[in-house]
Amino acid sequence: MTALDTISPLFLPVQAGRASEEVALQIEAAIVDGRLSPGERLPSEREMQSQFGTGRGVIREAIKILKQKGLLEVKKGAKGGAYVRQLDVGNVSESLALFLKQHPVNPEKLIEFRESLDQTITQLAITHAKKAEKEELLKEALRLESMLREGEPDFLATSELDRQLNIMLAKMARNPLFEWVMHALQMGFSSHDYSLYEDPTYRKRAAANWSDTAKAIADGELMRALAFIGHHYVLLRKCIDEKAAPTNEPAAEFLQDENQ
């Protein structure tokens, strides 16, 4: 007998029409409010047919819906059945990243959010992170700077390292909510930082600024770290504005000659 086999049924009968959706909603509600825990097995199909007052096809369709939403996993074998899925940071981040991709955000709003987020994470990281973590962040930031000083940087590799640096810093804050959000941001978009790294005028300055920020964090110098973060976003705003501004360059030489 499981925790589900109580005197009061876990689920209530559903009405015909959109029965599978109602069944799915009831199961989802039981997961969200904790009546069904991660790793727990749902009642058998027969038990759910009895509780919901519906047929096997409806139950299977509801399970299919919840499986697609990532809330259930179906196992086969002697201990087969539908189980409540244990979500991890990757699952949460993937869903949030998909949402962000489907709802484009104005670059300035994104930069404003990222700057505020980075400032808060940095304050917490300086307070809570271990010395070894701070030193590792600095080491990787210096490696990024070195990579971006090459004549032809590998932008795929530098983008991945920049992403890892942001996630490392978020973990150092010792708050899982910041880590989850940062994971999602790095999967969904990255504040247009690629604009800085792809532009030779800004590349070295942006990379050096990451190293300066990491060193200030390692040294426990909060105000310097926050100043470097602010400078990063000043550079980013200026870079984006320049890319968006119309050019006033003269026409090509052959066109100038033609008009003379």
Short mmCIF file of all heavy atoms in Angstrom, two decimals, residues 197-257:
data_model
loop_
_atom_site.label_atom_id
_atom_site.label_comp_id
_atom_site.label_asym_id
_atom_site.label_seq_id
_atom_site.Cartn_x
_atom_site.Cartn_y
_atom_site.Cartn_z
N TYR A 197 32.63 41.20 -28.16
CA TYR A 197 33.74 40.31 -28.49
C TYR A 197 34.02 40.25 -29.99
O TYR A 197 35.15 39.99 -30.40
CB TYR A 197 33.45 38.91 -27.95
CG TYR A 197 33.34 38.87 -26.44
CD1 TYR A 197 32.42 38.05 -25.79
CD2 TYR A 197 34.16 39.68 -25.64
CE1 TYR A 197 32.33 38.02 -24.41
CE2 TYR A 197 34.06 39.66 -24.26
CZ TYR A 197 33.14 38.82 -23.65
OH TYR A 197 33.05 38.81 -22.28
N GLU A 198 33.01 40.48 -30.79
CA GLU A 198 33.21 40.44 -32.24
C GLU A 198 33.79 41.75 -32.78
O GLU A 198 34.32 41.78 -33.89
CB GLU A 198 31.88 40.13 -32.94
CG GLU A 198 31.40 38.70 -32.70
CD GLU A 198 30.07 38.43 -33.37
OE1 GLU A 198 29.47 39.40 -33.91
OE2 GLU A 198 29.63 37.28 -33.35
N ASP A 199 33.69 42.83 -32.01
CA ASP A 199 34.19 44.12 -32.46
C ASP A 199 35.62 44.33 -31.97
O ASP A 199 35.86 44.41 -30.76
CB ASP A 199 33.28 45.23 -31.90
CG ASP A 199 33.58 46.59 -32.51
OD1 ASP A 199 34.78 46.91 -32.67
OD2 ASP A 199 32.63 47.32 -32.83
N PRO A 200 36.58 44.45 -32.88
CA PRO A 200 37.99 44.62 -32.47
C PRO A 200 38.21 45.83 -31.57
O PRO A 200 39.12 45.82 -30.74
CB PRO A 200 38.72 44.79 -33.81
CG PRO A 200 37.83 44.14 -34.82
CD PRO A 200 36.43 44.41 -34.34
N THR A 201 37.39 46.86 -31.73
CA THR A 201 37.54 48.08 -30.92
C THR A 201 37.25 47.82 -29.46
O THR A 201 37.86 48.42 -28.57
CB THR A 201 36.61 49.19 -31.45
OG1 THR A 201 36.84 49.38 -32.84
CG2 THR A 201 36.82 50.49 -30.70
N TYR A 202 36.30 46.93 -29.18
CA TYR A 202 35.84 46.70 -27.81
C TYR A 202 36.34 45.39 -27.22
O TYR A 202 36.31 45.21 -26.00
CB TYR A 202 34.31 46.70 -27.77
CG TYR A 202 33.70 48.06 -28.01
CD1 TYR A 202 33.27 48.42 -29.28
CD2 TYR A 202 33.55 48.97 -26.97
CE1 TYR A 202 32.71 49.67 -29.51
CE2 TYR A 202 33.00 50.22 -27.19
CZ TYR A 202 32.58 50.57 -28.47
OH TYR A 202 32.03 51.80 -28.69
N ARG A 203 36.78 44.47 -28.06
CA ARG A 203 37.09 43.11 -27.62
C ARG A 203 38.05 43.05 -26.44
O ARG A 203 37.76 42.47 -25.39
CB ARG A 203 37.67 42.33 -28.80
CG ARG A 203 37.94 40.87 -28.52
CD ARG A 203 38.58 40.24 -29.74
NE ARG A 203 37.74 40.45 -30.92
CZ ARG A 203 38.18 40.51 -32.18
NH1 ARG A 203 39.48 40.41 -32.41
NH2 ARG A 203 37.36 40.69 -33.19
N LYS A 204 39.23 43.67 -26.57
CA LYS A 204 40.25 43.59 -25.54
C LYS A 204 39.82 44.32 -24.27
O LYS A 204 40.11 43.88 -23.16
CB LYS A 204 41.58 44.15 -26.06
CG LYS A 204 42.18 43.32 -27.18
CD LYS A 204 43.48 43.92 -27.69
CE LYS A 204 44.07 43.10 -28.83
NZ LYS A 204 45.31 43.70 -29.37
N ARG A 205 39.12 45.43 -24.45
CA ARG A 205 38.66 46.19 -23.28
C ARG A 205 37.63 45.39 -22.48
O ARG A 205 37.66 45.38 -21.24
CB ARG A 205 38.07 47.53 -23.73
CG ARG A 205 39.10 48.46 -24.36
CD ARG A 205 38.44 49.57 -25.15
NE ARG A 205 37.68 50.48 -24.30
CZ ARG A 205 36.89 51.45 -24.77
NH1 ARG A 205 36.78 51.63 -26.09
NH2 ARG A 205 36.25 52.23 -23.95
N ALA A 206 36.73 44.71 -23.19
CA ALA A 206 35.70 43.92 -22.52
C ALA A 206 36.32 42.73 -21.80
O ALA A 206 35.94 42.39 -20.67
CB ALA A 206 34.67 43.44 -23.53
N ALA A 207 37.30 42.09 -22.45
CA ALA A 207 37.96 40.94 -21.84
C ALA A 207 38.75 41.35 -20.60
O ALA A 207 38.73 40.68 -19.57
CB ALA A 207 38.86 40.27 -22.85
N ALA A 208 39.48 42.47 -20.71
CA ALA A 208 40.25 42.96 -19.56
C ALA A 208 39.32 43.34 -18.42
O ALA A 208 39.65 43.15 -17.24
CB ALA A 208 41.09 44.16 -19.99
N ASN A 209 38.14 43.84 -18.77
CA ASN A 209 37.18 44.24 -17.73
C ASN A 209 36.68 43.02 -16.95
O ASN A 209 36.46 43.10 -15.74
CB ASN A 209 36.01 44.98 -18.38
CG ASN A 209 35.10 45.60 -17.35
OD1 ASN A 209 35.44 46.58 -16.70
ND2 ASN A 209 33.90 45.03 -17.20
N TRP A 210 36.51 41.88 -17.64
CA TRP A 210 36.11 40.64 -16.95
C TRP A 210 37.19 40.26 -15.94
O TRP A 210 36.91 39.91 -14.79
CB TRP A 210 35.94 39.51 -17.96
CG TRP A 210 34.64 38.76 -17.93
CD1 TRP A 210 33.82 38.48 -18.99
CD2 TRP A 210 34.00 38.17 -16.79
NE1 TRP A 210 32.72 37.74 -18.59
CE2 TRP A 210 32.80 37.55 -17.24
CE3 TRP A 210 34.30 38.10 -15.43
CZ2 TRP A 210 31.93 36.87 -16.39
CZ3 TRP A 210 33.41 37.42 -14.56
CH2 TRP A 210 32.25 36.83 -15.05
N SER A 211 38.46 40.33 -16.37
CA SER A 211 39.56 39.99 -15.47
C SER A 211 39.62 40.95 -14.27
O SER A 211 39.84 40.52 -13.13
CB SER A 211 40.89 40.04 -16.22
OG SER A 211 40.92 39.08 -17.26
N ASP A 212 39.41 42.23 -14.54
CA ASP A 212 39.42 43.23 -13.45
C ASP A 212 38.30 42.94 -12.46
O ASP A 212 38.48 43.06 -11.24
CB ASP A 212 39.25 44.63 -14.02
CG ASP A 212 40.48 45.10 -14.78
OD1 ASP A 212 41.58 44.58 -14.52
OD2 ASP A 212 40.34 46.00 -15.65
N THR A 213 37.13 42.58 -12.98
CA THR A 213 35.99 42.27 -12.11
C THR A 213 36.30 41.05 -11.24
O THR A 213 36.06 41.06 -10.02
CB THR A 213 34.73 41.99 -12.95
OG1 THR A 213 34.46 43.10 -13.80
CG2 THR A 213 33.52 41.74 -12.05
N ALA A 214 36.81 39.99 -11.87
CA ALA A 214 37.13 38.77 -11.13
C ALA A 214 38.21 39.02 -10.07
O ALA A 214 38.15 38.46 -8.97
CB ALA A 214 37.60 37.69 -12.11
N LYS A 215 39.20 39.87 -10.38
CA LYS A 215 40.25 40.17 -9.41
C LYS A 215 39.68 40.94 -8.22
O LYS A 215 40.05 40.68 -7.06
CB LYS A 215 41.37 40.99 -10.06
CG LYS A 215 42.58 41.18 -9.15
CD LYS A 215 43.71 41.90 -9.83
CE LYS A 215 44.97 41.91 -8.94
NZ LYS A 215 44.71 42.36 -7.58
N ALA A 216 38.78 41.88 -8.50
CA ALA A 216 38.16 42.64 -7.41
C ALA A 216 37.34 41.72 -6.51
O ALA A 216 37.33 41.87 -5.28
CB ALA A 216 37.29 43.75 -7.98
N ILE A 217 36.66 40.73 -7.12
CA ILE A 217 35.89 39.76 -6.35
C ILE A 217 36.83 38.92 -5.50
O ILE A 217 36.57 38.68 -4.31
CB ILE A 217 35.05 38.86 -7.29
CG1 ILE A 217 33.94 39.69 -7.95
CG2 ILE A 217 34.45 37.68 -6.52
CD1 ILE A 217 33.19 38.95 -9.04
N ALA A 218 37.92 38.45 -6.10
CA ALA A 218 38.90 37.64 -5.37
C ALA A 218 39.51 38.41 -4.20
O ALA A 218 39.80 37.84 -3.14
CB ALA A 218 39.99 37.16 -6.31
N ASP A 219 39.69 39.72 -4.37
CA ASP A 219 40.28 40.56 -3.32
C ASP A 219 39.24 41.07 -2.33
O ASP A 219 39.58 41.77 -1.36
CB ASP A 219 41.00 41.76 -3.95
CG ASP A 219 42.22 41.34 -4.75
OD1 ASP A 219 42.74 40.22 -4.52
OD2 ASP A 219 42.65 42.12 -5.63
N GLY A 220 37.96 40.76 -2.58
CA GLY A 220 36.91 41.21 -1.67
C GLY A 220 36.61 42.69 -1.76
O GLY A 220 36.07 43.28 -0.81
N GLU A 221 36.93 43.30 -2.90
CA GLU A 221 36.71 44.74 -3.07
C GLU A 221 35.38 44.98 -3.80
O GLU A 221 35.32 45.07 -5.02
CB GLU A 221 37.88 45.35 -3.86
CG GLU A 221 39.21 45.21 -3.13
CD GLU A 221 40.36 45.81 -3.93
OE1 GLU A 221 40.19 46.04 -5.15
OE2 GLU A 221 41.42 46.04 -3.33
N LEU A 222 34.33 45.08 -3.02
CA LEU A 222 32.98 45.17 -3.57
C LEU A 222 32.78 46.37 -4.48
O LEU A 222 32.28 46.25 -5.60
CB LEU A 222 31.94 45.21 -2.44
CG LEU A 222 30.48 45.41 -2.89
CD1 LEU A 222 30.04 44.30 -3.83
CD2 LEU A 222 29.56 45.48 -1.67
N MET A 223 33.16 47.56 -4.02
CA MET A 223 32.90 48.77 -4.80
C MET A 223 33.64 48.74 -6.13
O MET A 223 33.12 49.19 -7.16
CB MET A 223 33.28 50.01 -3.99
CG MET A 223 32.47 50.18 -2.70
SD MET A 223 30.66 49.98 -2.96
CE MET A 223 30.32 51.35 -4.05
N ARG A 224 34.88 48.22 -6.13
CA ARG A 224 35.63 48.12 -7.38
C ARG A 224 34.95 47.12 -8.32
O ARG A 224 34.83 47.37 -9.52
CB ARG A 224 37.07 47.68 -7.10
CG ARG A 224 37.97 48.81 -6.64
CD ARG A 224 39.37 48.30 -6.31
NE ARG A 224 40.03 47.64 -7.44
CZ ARG A 224 40.63 48.29 -8.44
NH1 ARG A 224 40.66 49.63 -8.43
NH2 ARG A 224 41.23 47.63 -9.40
N ALA A 225 34.50 46.02 -7.78
CA ALA A 225 33.83 45.02 -8.60
C ALA A 225 32.57 45.59 -9.24
O ALA A 225 32.31 45.39 -10.43
CB ALA A 225 33.49 43.79 -7.75
N LEU A 226 31.78 46.32 -8.45
CA LEU A 226 30.55 46.92 -8.98
C LEU A 226 30.87 47.98 -10.03
O LEU A 226 30.14 48.12 -11.01
CB LEU A 226 29.73 47.52 -7.84
CG LEU A 226 29.18 46.54 -6.80
CD1 LEU A 226 28.38 47.28 -5.75
CD2 LEU A 226 28.31 45.47 -7.47
N ALA A 227 31.96 48.70 -9.82
CA ALA A 227 32.35 49.72 -10.80
C ALA A 227 32.74 49.06 -12.13
O ALA A 227 32.39 49.56 -13.20
CB ALA A 227 33.52 50.54 -10.26
N PHE A 228 33.45 47.94 -12.06
CA PHE A 228 33.84 47.25 -13.29
C PHE A 228 32.61 46.68 -14.01
O PHE A 228 32.55 46.68 -15.23
CB PHE A 228 34.84 46.13 -12.98
CG PHE A 228 36.22 46.63 -12.63
CD1 PHE A 228 36.87 46.20 -11.48
CD2 PHE A 228 36.87 47.54 -13.46
CE1 PHE A 228 38.13 46.66 -11.16
CE2 PHE A 228 38.15 48.01 -13.16
CZ PHE A 228 38.77 47.58 -12.01
N ILE A 229 31.64 46.17 -13.23
CA ILE A 229 30.40 45.67 -13.84
C ILE A 229 29.68 46.81 -14.56
O ILE A 229 29.22 46.66 -15.69
CB ILE A 229 29.49 45.04 -12.77
CG1 ILE A 229 30.09 43.71 -12.30
CG2 ILE A 229 28.07 44.82 -13.31
CD1 ILE A 229 29.37 43.09 -11.12
N GLY A 230 29.61 47.96 -13.91
CA GLY A 230 28.97 49.11 -14.55
C GLY A 230 29.69 49.50 -15.83
O GLY A 230 29.06 49.83 -16.84
N HIS A 231 31.03 49.43 -15.80
CA HIS A 231 31.82 49.80 -16.98
C HIS A 231 31.55 48.82 -18.13
O HIS A 231 31.49 49.23 -19.30
CB HIS A 231 33.31 49.80 -16.63
CG HIS A 231 34.18 50.21 -17.77
ND1 HIS A 231 34.05 51.42 -18.42
CD2 HIS A 231 35.21 49.56 -18.40
CE1 HIS A 231 34.94 51.51 -19.39
NE2 HIS A 231 35.66 50.39 -19.40
N HIS A 232 31.38 47.54 -17.79
CA HIS A 232 31.08 46.55 -18.84
C HIS A 232 29.82 46.94 -19.60
O HIS A 232 29.78 46.89 -20.84
CB HIS A 232 30.89 45.17 -18.20
CG HIS A 232 30.37 44.13 -19.16
ND1 HIS A 232 31.19 43.45 -20.03
CD2 HIS A 232 29.11 43.69 -19.41
CE1 HIS A 232 30.46 42.61 -20.76
NE2 HIS A 232 29.19 42.74 -20.40
N TYR A 233 28.80 47.34 -18.87
CA TYR A 233 27.54 47.66 -19.53
C TYR A 233 27.56 49.03 -20.20
O TYR A 233 26.79 49.27 -21.13
CB TYR A 233 26.38 47.51 -18.53
CG TYR A 233 26.13 46.03 -18.24
CD1 TYR A 233 26.55 45.45 -17.05
CD2 TYR A 233 25.54 45.22 -19.20
CE1 TYR A 233 26.37 44.10 -16.81
CE2 TYR A 233 25.35 43.87 -18.96
CZ TYR A 233 25.76 43.31 -17.78
OH TYR A 233 25.60 41.98 -17.56
N VAL A 234 28.45 49.91 -19.75
CA VAL A 234 28.66 51.16 -20.49
C VAL A 234 29.25 50.83 -21.86
O VAL A 234 28.80 51.36 -22.90
CB VAL A 234 29.61 52.10 -19.71
CG1 VAL A 234 30.09 53.24 -20.62
CG2 VAL A 234 28.91 52.67 -18.48
N LEU A 235 30.26 49.95 -21.88
CA LEU A 235 30.86 49.53 -23.14
C LEU A 235 29.83 48.85 -24.04
O LEU A 235 29.79 49.11 -25.25
CB LEU A 235 32.03 48.56 -22.87
CG LEU A 235 33.29 49.13 -22.24
CD1 LEU A 235 34.26 47.99 -21.92
CD2 LEU A 235 33.95 50.14 -23.16
N LEU A 236 29.02 48.01 -23.45
CA LEU A 236 28.04 47.26 -24.24
C LEU A 236 27.00 48.20 -24.86
O LEU A 236 26.67 48.08 -26.05
CB LEU A 236 27.35 46.22 -23.35
CG LEU A 236 26.35 45.30 -24.04
CD1 LEU A 236 26.97 44.59 -25.23
CD2 LEU A 236 25.79 44.30 -23.05
N ARG A 237 26.50 49.14 -24.08
CA ARG A 237 25.52 50.08 -24.61
C ARG A 237 26.12 50.90 -25.76
O ARG A 237 25.48 51.12 -26.80
CB ARG A 237 25.03 51.02 -23.51
CG ARG A 237 24.06 50.38 -22.52
CD ARG A 237 23.57 51.42 -21.51
NE ARG A 237 22.51 50.89 -20.67
CZ ARG A 237 22.73 50.33 -19.46
NH1 ARG A 237 23.97 50.23 -18.99
NH2 ARG A 237 21.72 49.88 -18.74
N LYS A 238 27.36 51.36 -25.56
CA LYS A 238 28.02 52.17 -26.58
C LYS A 238 28.23 51.37 -27.85
O LYS A 238 28.00 51.86 -28.97
CB LYS A 238 29.35 52.68 -26.05
CG LYS A 238 30.05 53.67 -26.97
CD LYS A 238 31.31 54.22 -26.32
CE LYS A 238 32.00 55.22 -27.27
NZ LYS A 238 33.24 55.75 -26.68
N CYS A 239 28.64 50.12 -27.70
CA CYS A 239 28.88 49.24 -28.85
C CYS A 239 27.59 49.01 -29.64
O CYS A 239 27.57 49.10 -30.87
CB CYS A 239 29.47 47.92 -28.37
SG CYS A 239 29.82 46.75 -29.69
N ILE A 240 26.51 48.71 -28.94
CA ILE A 240 25.23 48.45 -29.60
C ILE A 240 24.71 49.71 -30.29
O ILE A 240 24.19 49.66 -31.41
CB ILE A 240 24.19 47.92 -28.58
CG1 ILE A 240 24.59 46.51 -28.14
CG2 ILE A 240 22.80 47.91 -29.18
CD1 ILE A 240 23.71 45.93 -27.07
N ASP A 241 24.86 50.86 -29.61
CA ASP A 241 24.42 52.13 -30.22
C ASP A 241 25.18 52.41 -31.50
O ASP A 241 24.60 52.87 -32.50
CB ASP A 241 24.62 53.28 -29.23
CG ASP A 241 23.62 53.25 -28.08
OD1 ASP A 241 22.61 52.52 -28.20
OD2 ASP A 241 23.85 53.94 -27.07
N GLU A 242 26.48 52.15 -31.49
CA GLU A 242 27.28 52.40 -32.68
C GLU A 242 26.86 51.48 -33.83
O GLU A 242 26.84 51.90 -34.99
CB GLU A 242 28.77 52.21 -32.37
CG GLU A 242 29.34 53.32 -31.51
CD GLU A 242 30.82 53.14 -31.24
OE1 GLU A 242 31.40 52.15 -31.75
OE2 GLU A 242 31.40 53.96 -30.51
N LYS A 243 26.53 50.24 -33.52
CA LYS A 243 26.11 49.31 -34.56
C LYS A 243 24.76 49.70 -35.14
O LYS A 243 24.47 49.46 -36.32
CB LYS A 243 26.05 47.89 -34.00
CG LYS A 243 27.41 47.26 -33.77
CD LYS A 243 27.26 45.85 -33.25
CE LYS A 243 28.62 45.18 -33.07
NZ LYS A 243 29.34 45.00 -34.35
N ALA A 244 23.91 50.29 -34.29
CA ALA A 244 22.57 50.66 -34.74
C ALA A 244 22.53 51.99 -35.46
O ALA A 244 21.61 52.26 -36.24
CB ALA A 244 21.62 50.71 -33.54
N ALA A 245 23.54 52.84 -35.23
CA ALA A 245 23.56 54.18 -35.83
C ALA A 245 23.83 54.10 -37.32
O ALA A 245 24.65 53.28 -37.77
CB ALA A 245 24.61 55.04 -35.14
N PRO A 246 23.18 54.96 -38.13
CA PRO A 246 23.46 54.97 -39.58
C PRO A 246 24.87 55.48 -39.84
O PRO A 246 25.38 56.34 -39.11
CB PRO A 246 22.41 55.94 -40.12
CG PRO A 246 22.07 56.82 -38.97
CD PRO A 246 22.16 55.94 -37.75
N THR A 247 25.53 54.94 -40.82
CA THR A 247 26.90 55.35 -41.13
C THR A 247 26.88 56.57 -42.04
O THR A 247 26.00 56.74 -42.87
CB THR A 247 27.65 54.21 -41.83
OG1 THR A 247 26.96 53.88 -43.05
CG2 THR A 247 27.71 52.97 -40.95
N ASN A 248 27.89 57.43 -41.85
CA ASN A 248 28.03 58.63 -42.69
C ASN A 248 29.27 58.54 -43.57
O ASN A 248 29.87 59.54 -43.93
CB ASN A 248 28.13 59.88 -41.79
CG ASN A 248 26.86 60.12 -41.01
OD1 ASN A 248 25.77 60.02 -41.58
ND2 ASN A 248 27.00 60.43 -39.73
N GLU A 249 29.65 57.27 -43.86
CA GLU A 249 30.84 57.08 -44.67
C GLU A 249 30.59 57.56 -46.09
O GLU A 249 29.48 57.44 -46.61
CB GLU A 249 31.22 55.60 -44.69
CG GLU A 249 31.63 55.07 -43.32
CD GLU A 249 31.98 53.60 -43.39
OE1 GLU A 249 31.94 53.06 -44.51
OE2 GLU A 249 32.31 53.02 -42.35
N PRO A 250 31.60 58.13 -46.77
CA PRO A 250 31.43 58.58 -48.15
C PRO A 250 31.18 57.40 -49.08
O PRO A 250 31.50 56.26 -48.75
CB PRO A 250 32.76 59.26 -48.47
CG PRO A 250 33.74 58.62 -47.54
CD PRO A 250 32.97 58.35 -46.27
N ALA A 251 30.60 57.67 -50.20
CA ALA A 251 30.33 56.61 -51.16
C ALA A 251 31.63 56.04 -51.68
O ALA A 251 32.69 56.64 -51.54
CB ALA A 251 29.50 57.17 -52.32
N ALA A 252 31.55 54.86 -52.28
CA ALA A 252 32.74 54.21 -52.84
C ALA A 252 33.38 55.12 -53.89
O ALA A 252 32.72 55.94 -54.52
CB ALA A 252 32.34 52.88 -53.47
N GLU A 253 34.69 54.95 -54.09
CA GLU A 253 35.44 55.83 -54.98
C GLU A 253 34.86 55.89 -56.39
O GLU A 253 34.75 56.95 -56.98
CB GLU A 253 36.90 55.38 -55.03
CG GLU A 253 37.68 55.71 -53.77
CD GLU A 253 39.14 55.39 -53.93
OE1 GLU A 253 39.57 55.16 -55.09
OE2 GLU A 253 39.86 55.37 -52.93
N PHE A 254 34.46 54.72 -56.90
CA PHE A 254 33.98 54.74 -58.29
C PHE A 254 32.68 55.53 -58.42
O PHE A 254 32.40 56.13 -59.45
CB PHE A 254 33.82 53.31 -58.84
CG PHE A 254 32.64 52.56 -58.27
CD1 PHE A 254 31.40 52.60 -58.91
CD2 PHE A 254 32.76 51.79 -57.12
CE1 PHE A 254 30.33 51.90 -58.42
CE2 PHE A 254 31.68 51.09 -56.63
CZ PHE A 254 30.45 51.14 -57.27
N LEU A 255 31.90 55.57 -57.30
CA LEU A 255 30.66 56.36 -57.35
C LEU A 255 30.99 57.85 -57.24
O LEU A 255 30.36 58.68 -57.88
CB LEU A 255 29.73 55.95 -56.20
CG LEU A 255 29.11 54.55 -56.31
CD1 LEU A 255 28.27 54.24 -55.09
CD2 LEU A 255 28.26 54.46 -57.56
N GLN A 256 32.01 58.18 -56.41
CA GLN A 256 32.41 59.58 -56.28
C GLN A 256 32.93 60.10 -57.62
O GLN A 256 32.59 61.19 -58.05
CB GLN A 256 33.49 59.72 -55.22
CG GLN A 256 33.02 59.40 -53.80
CD GLN A 256 34.12 59.57 -52.79
OE1 GLN A 256 34.84 60.57 -52.84
NE2 GLN A 256 34.28 58.63 -51.88
N ASP A 257 33.76 59.31 -58.28
CA ASP A 257 34.32 59.73 -59.58
C ASP A 257 33.20 59.95 -60.60
O ASP A 257 33.24 60.88 -61.39
CB ASP A 257 35.28 58.67 -60.10
CG ASP A 257 36.52 58.57 -59.24
OD1 ASP A 257 36.81 59.56 -58.50
OD2 ASP A 257 37.18 57.52 -59.27
#
